[in-house]
Amino acid sequence: MFQEDFQELTTTDCSADCGRDLAKVFSDGLLLKDLMKTSGASESVYAEPIRLFSKLEKGFTAAAGLSGEARLSPMLGPARELNNWLNTHPV
């Protein structure tokens, strides 16, 4: 879901400063993070995406007080990095 919602966010115009779309990508990321942490795999297996989730969370928090294009910037970088990691490491 994360990758699908991220793709939609980056390829379509989102409404009202993308707040709902950003929240959905963030929520998907949290769900994925929880699934990784409870998967039973060694912590080192998911160390990189969990680091990226932390960056995504900081970006989401920073985006809350912004509007327009500025609202996208703090989240897009970490979300793109996470998307790239998922593309090369299918979960």
Side-chain angles (χ1 to χ4, degrees), residues 68-79:
E69 187 68 29
R71 190 171 188 172
L72 285 170
S73 297
M75 273 191 65
L76 282 183

Side-chain angles (χ1 to χ4, degrees), residues 53-76:
F53 287 125
S54 293
K55 288 176 65 176
L56 183 66
E57 186 172 18
K58 288 177 186 172
F60 185 74
T61 301
L66 304 173
S67 62
E69 187 68 29
R71 190 171 188 172
L72 285 170
S73 297
M75 273 191 65
L76 282 183

Side-chain angles (χ1 to χ4, degrees), residues 9-21:
L9 175 67
T10 59
T11 59
T12 60
D13 290 334
C14 44
S15 60
D17 293 330
C18 306
R20 187 172 15 163
D21 299 321

Side-chain angles (χ1 to χ4, degrees), residues 2 6 9 25 52 56 74-84:
F2 173 86
F6 174 74
L9 175 67
V25 168
L52 294 171
L56 183 66
M75 273 191 65
L76 282 183
R80 187 169 284 115
E81 289 179 69
L82 180 57
N83 186 59
N84 291 342

